[in-house]
Structure formats: C-alpha cells, structure tokens
Amino acid sequence: MLIGSKLPPEHIDKTFFNSGRAAFAFLVDQVIKPRKVYLPSFTCWSLVSTMEKRFPHVEVEYYPVGRDLTCYYPKYVYKDELLVFIHYFGHENKSTLPESQGTIIEDFSHSYISKINHVGDYVFGSYRKILKVGEGGFIDTYFNPIYEESKKLDTWLRYQAKDWRDVREAENMMDRDWQIVDISSQSLAILLSANHDLIRLKRQANERFLTENITIGEPLLTYRLNECPLLHNRLLETQEERDSLREFLAGKSIFTSIHWPTHRNVKSSGCDTDDTLWLESHIISIPVPHNYNLNDMEYIAESIQRWQKG
C-alpha cells in the first residue's frame, strides 16, 4: 500500500471519443488489428466509410441481413478476423452469433439506453444517435489513447447551430473529415446529467403512440419493455408511396429519414443484398426523441392521415 499526496489517478471501465466511428477505428487500429472484418449489409455509411478511408488494406466482407433484421453471419470467425453486429434501433439482436476464435464487437449506438446484456468482446457506440449532444462516442473498456489533433469544427457548428440546416452541415463535415479525438467537456456534462429511465419511458411512449395511431404500412419492429426505441420505422408498400409521404411531411416541418441508403461498397461486394435494398426502398424513419411530447406525436399521426386522405 502506498500513502502519499500524489498517486496515480482513478479511471472507469470506459473510454470516450468524439464519435462512434472514432471508437470503432480505435478498436480496429490499436486493439484488434484484424486481417478481415465482417460488417452487416444493412448498416449506416459510417462503418463502411471508416473501413474504406482508414483501413483500405483490411479485407471487408458483408453478411446478409433479412427484412426482419435477422443476421446471416458467417459460420466461423477465425483468429485474425473481426465481426461487427448491430442492435438495430434499440432492439436486442437475437440472431445466434457464430463460433469464434476471433473478435466479436457490438455496435451499441442505437441501444445505449436499452437494458440489453452485452455478448461481444467489446462494445462501442455513438452518443449522438440518442442523446442531444454535439459529439460523443465510447468503448465499454478502459484504454488510454493518445488522441489525434483536431479543431473539432463539426462539434463547434453543432453547438453554434441555429436550426437543423447547421446540424446537417455539421454531419456533412464529419463525413468528409474526422479524427480519433476525445469528447468535449460540454457533451460529457450533458451525457452525465441524462436521466436514462426518463428518456427510455418517453421514447417508448412516443413510439407506442405512433405504432397505435398510424394506419398505413406496418412497423418494422415491436419493442420490448427493456428496449429504448431510436426511431419509429415504418414499412410502406412501395417506394413511390414512401417518397410521397416524406415530401408531404417535410412540407409540414416533419423531417423523416431513410435507414439506410446502401453504400456502393455493399452493392458491389457480391453479398446477397436483396432484403437490404428492399428495406432501403420501403422504410420511412420517424423521430421519437424524448424531448418531443404527445402533442408532437399527434401532429405526426394527424399529418399522415391528411396525406392518406389526399
């Protein structure tokens, strides 16, 4: 035992970054160093572009994801290989993981506030997906990175933002250029003050209202009590119907998204992408953040009813 006024500082079992993709890149570059990486065919561009820009020397293979979000993993993950899987939209991924001598990691970006048991060797994610922070990513393991230099202009713009257009431009800036750096004090303070139970309850209520009151299409997922919805994803019969609804809602100041447009690397990979492309063409993603109340959800449902009647 040492007794003294100056001793090594304490640390927690978590490492903070400015983004989920920075956390992912750190794991690939500094921790796992794989020869091959398996990614899902149904995913956002950030994982795909991270591998393309940062690790062009690492082989990437995509595994198919079905319309019901069932993951068709490779049969075996070898010692020098890495498999990434996602808990989609706050819903626990129940697909049976393959046998592995390699490394399996969970993308927990959508599920940060869901009560889901971890099963991967490492867990990483982005805070910006579900909390109102300018930046933030994490790994649920302690490391001591030497962070890269950055002016973090995208974070500056998010906190300076006057409306959604500034936030969108900040996202574009991050897509063009990003570094592996630490989270800002402002974002960390917001993160540590967040009431997870309240956020979960409000998001559950918002998603449940839309599930019960939207009469077109069908929900992509049914959430369990321990899960915190990221979005209300609705499947419509045709792409034309989906695109028409998105345009109508935008005219009512309701901005939806598509999760996700399929990256060109996935399309050209040789992976079976039929279900991934089908989801891209039929899904509409409606926000259910905890800072929106029942009146906001009623406005969304009523606007969809007006479009349907028209």
Side-chain angles (χ1 to χ4, degrees):
M1 181 178 70
L2 295 175
I3 299 175
S5 59
K6 293 183 179 180
L7 295 176
E10 296 180 352
H11 59 75
I12 62 172
D13 291 333
K14 184 169 287 189
T15 308
F16 294 105
F17 297 88
N18 64 317
S19 67
R21 70 190 77 187
F24 172 62
F26 178 82
L27 282 172
V28 173
D29 185 48
Q30 299 295 321
V31 181
I32 303 167
K33 302 179 181 180
R35 176 189 60 83
K36 183 176 184 177
V37 172
Y38 293 100
L39 295 177
S41 62
F42 184 58
T43 184
C44 65
W45 283 39
S46 60
L47 294 180
V48 180
S49 62
T50 295
M51 293 304 305
E52 180 182 45
K53 294 177 181 179
R54 287 248 173 181
F55 309 103
H57 58 286
V58 177
E59 181 183 358
V60 177
E61 182 174 319
Y62 300 93
Y63 57 83
V65 179
R67 296 185 189 183
D68 62 353
L69 304 184
T70 298
C71 295
Y72 299 94
Y73 301 120
K75 292 183 178 179
Y76 196 85
V77 179
Y78 290 94
K79 189 174 182 179
D80 56 354
E81 296 179 342
L82 163 65
L83 182 140
V84 182
F85 75 94
I86 299 171
H87 293 289
Y88 289 108
F89 311 114
H91 189 74
E92 185 173 9
N93 189 329
K94 293 283 191 176
S95 301
T96 302
L97 290 167
E99 294 185 16
S100 173
Q101 281 188 324
T103 306
I104 295 178
I105 64 175
E106 300 176 52
D107 184 343
F108 221 64
S109 301
H110 298 183
S111 306
Y112 173 65
I113 299 182
S114 294
K115 294 183 177 180
I116 296 174
N117 293 325
H118 301 318
V119 294
D121 297 299
Y122 297 102
V123 179
F124 77 99
S126 167
Y127 291 122
R128 290 185 301 109
K129 298 290 190 301
I130 206 162
L131 297 175
K132 292 188 69 177
V133 292
E135 60 171 347
F138 67 93
I139 300 173
D140 262 5
T141 308
Y142 172 70
F143 296 102
N144 189 19
I146 298 176
Y147 294 108
E148 299 171 359
E149 292 185 7
S150 175
K151 291 184 178 180
K152 302 171 74 168
L153 294 178
D154 58 298
T155 302
W156 177 88
L157 182 56
R158 286 192 192 92
Y159 280 118
Q160 194 72 13
K162 303 301 182 184
D163 58 32
W164 64 272
R165 288 169 292 189
D166 293 332
V167 176
R168 182 180 62 182
E169 177 54 26
E171 293 295 315
N172 293 336
M173 290 170 64
M174 172 172 274
D175 288 337
R176 292 191 296 266
D177 183 47
W178 55 272
Q179 295 77 36
I180 300 176
V181 295
D182 201 356
I183 192 172
S184 68
S185 57
Q186 186 67 233
S187 295
L188 184 61
I190 295 169
L191 166 66
L192 295 177
S193 64
N195 185 326
H196 291 188
D197 290 335
L198 180 60
I199 290 172
R200 187 183 311 106
L201 288 173
K202 292 194 71 175
R203 282 180 169 268
Q204 287 172 336
N206 286 345
E207 203 283 334
R208 185 165 54 248
F209 181 90
L210 294 183
T211 296
E212 295 171 354
N213 289 277
I214 295 178
T215 57
I216 59 167
E218 60 182 23
L220 173 65
L221 291 169
T222 300
Y223 289 91
R224 307 178 184 96
L225 291 177
N226 64 319
E227 296 172 339
C228 180
L230 176 72
L231 297 158
H232 177 78
N233 284 307
R234 203 87 185 175
L235 300 175
L236 302 189
E237 290 187 7
T238 67
Q239 182 175 348
E240 292 75 18
E241 185 179 49
R242 190 273 312 278
D243 293 344
S244 172
L245 176 57
R246 288 193 72 211
E247 183 178 358
F248 180 86
L249 292 177
K252 302 292 184 183
S253 296
I254 302 169
F255 297 98
T256 61
S257 53
I258 296 171
H259 281 72
W260 288 282
T262 307
H263 195 282
R264 64 182 182 281
N265 290 3
V266 180
K267 292 179 180 179
S268 63
S269 66
C271 170
D272 180 359
T273 59
D274 288 350
D275 285 349
T276 295
L277 295 173
W278 186 91
L279 286 169
E280 175 189 341
S281 298
H282 292 77
I283 201 166
I284 181 170
S285 302
I286 303 172
V288 292
H290 54 280
N291 54 300
Y292 291 158
N293 57 32
L294 180 59
N295 291 336
D296 298 313
M297 296 301 107
E298 288 178 343
Y299 179 64
I300 293 172
E302 290 168 359
S303 297
I304 293 175
Q305 289 174 3
R306 292 193 192 99
W307 172 84
Q308 191 174 12
K309 292 177 181 177

